């Protein structure tokens, strides 16, 4: 069953080494993410699953100790998913296992120092249909007695003319609806997000949020919104469900 969830955005700039001189601009966001991860630790889960958007279709599972790197982005920084034993490290690198997608590499960075139990990762294709996202969420929470989720994903990337997707007048309303749903742990609204609108607005969090909606069905969790802003014209939200 789902006992807690944290929702965080996944821009590479969340990692100070990647942001470099611009790092202080997102200090408030980093602090909110740290608070959300703290809620997960306090829930004492048997299993934590980090979920994030991925370029590959469908779903991609990553074990504890899976490797991620920011070297492709010009920073000599590597991360591992969760607390790594020697066996975990060998397993993660055996057979040329693929590296974590960037969203889960950011999640691994947020979870550095995590010692509240095992961590696994799940990459979700950004085009995965809502019903398949919900089904994946139900599968995830059936994997252990007490499951927590760290759900990575950005809102629309069309909030200003300088945004990655330029300005789209629908973006502000889309993000406001998502923020309200996250604040209220409103499973129905998240489950009903339109994939086509999300794609047009470049909202990378749509599929992970709908996986959360499936996972939270019947869990009776309450929500709180810890952060909402659109730096760089992209909607970023941090929320905790407990």
């Amino acid at each position: 069953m789902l006992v807690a969830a944290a929702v965080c955005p996944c821009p590479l700039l969340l990692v100070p080494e990647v942001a470099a001189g611009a790092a202080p601009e997102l200090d408030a966001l980093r602090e909110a993410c740290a608070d959300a991860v703290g809620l997960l630790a306090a829930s004492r889960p048997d299993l934590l699953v980090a979920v994030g958007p991925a370029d590959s279709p469908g779903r991609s599972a990553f074990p504890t100790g899976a490797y991620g790197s920011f070297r492709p982005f010009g920073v000599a920084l590597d991360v591992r998913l969760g607390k790594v034993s020697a066996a975990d490290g060998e397993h993660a690198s055996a057979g040329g296992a693929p590296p974590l997608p960037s969203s889960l590499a950011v999640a691994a960075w947020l979870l550095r120092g995590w010692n509240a139990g095992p961590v696994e990762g799940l990459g979700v294709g950004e085009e995965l249909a809502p019903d398949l996202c919900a089904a994946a969420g139900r599968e995830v929470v059936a994997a252990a007695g007490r499951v927590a989720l760290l759900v990575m994903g950005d809102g629309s990337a069309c909030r200003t003319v300088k945004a990655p997707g330029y300005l789209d007048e629908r973006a502000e309303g889309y993000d406001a609806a998502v923020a309200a749903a996250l604040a209220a742990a409103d499973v129905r609204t998240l489950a009903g997000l339109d994939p086509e609108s999300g794609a047009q607005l470049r909202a990378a969090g749509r599929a992970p949020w709908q996986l959360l909606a499936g996972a939270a069905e019947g869990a009776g969790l309450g929500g709180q919104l810890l952060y909402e802003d659109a730096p760089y014209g992209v909607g970023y939200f941090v929320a905790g469900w407990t």
Side-chain angles (χ1 to χ4, degrees):
M1 75 179 277
L2 184 68
V3 296
V7 175
C8 295
C10 53
L12 292 166
L13 294 179
L14 197 58
V15 180
E17 292 88 341
V18 177
E25 298 176 10
L26 295 183
D27 279 347
L29 174 58
R30 294 185 191 96
E31 183 177 350
C33 289
D35 289 343
V37 171
L39 293 175
L40 297 181
S43 72
R44 296 176 296 173
D46 299 321
L47 174 66
L48 171 63
V49 181
V51 180
D55 292 333
S56 57
R59 296 179 284 166
S60 303
F62 299 88
T64 297
Y67 165 85
S69 179
F70 297 99
R71 293 177 188 272
F73 310 102
V75 177
L77 176 64
D78 302 319
V79 290
R80 292 281 191 174
L81 190 62
K83 188 175 181 180
V84 184
S85 67
D88 289 330
E90 291 173 4
H91 177 65
S93 61
L100 295 169
S102 63
S103 65
L104 294 183
V106 174
W109 180 83
L110 287 175
L111 292 169
R112 64 202 186 283
W114 175 270
N115 57 8
V119 181
E120 296 177 0
L122 184 63
V124 184
E126 293 189 36
E127 297 181 0
L128 195 66
D131 59 332
L132 296 180
C133 292
R138 290 189 289 268
E139 290 178 20
V140 166
V141 295
R146 296 175 60 83
V147 177
L149 294 179
L150 174 56
V151 181
M152 309 295 291
D154 301 342
S156 70
C158 302
R159 293 283 292 271
T160 69
V161 294
K162 294 184 178 180
Y166 197 67
L167 175 65
D168 189 312
E169 294 182 355
R170 299 170 297 168
E172 186 172 354
Y174 181 94
D175 284 348
V178 171
L182 293 175
D186 182 351
V187 170
R188 179 172 296 182
T189 294
L190 292 180
L193 291 173
D194 176 43
E196 184 175 351
S197 296
Q200 292 170 352
L201 296 172
R202 301 179 64 171
R206 191 276 307 170
W209 298 331
Q210 291 189 316
L211 185 148
L212 169 61
E217 290 175 1
L221 301 181
Q224 54 181 316
L225 191 65
L226 304 177
Y227 179 97
E228 177 191 4
D229 202 355
Y232 317 119
V234 182
Y236 295 154
F237 319 105
V238 181
W241 290 15
T242 56

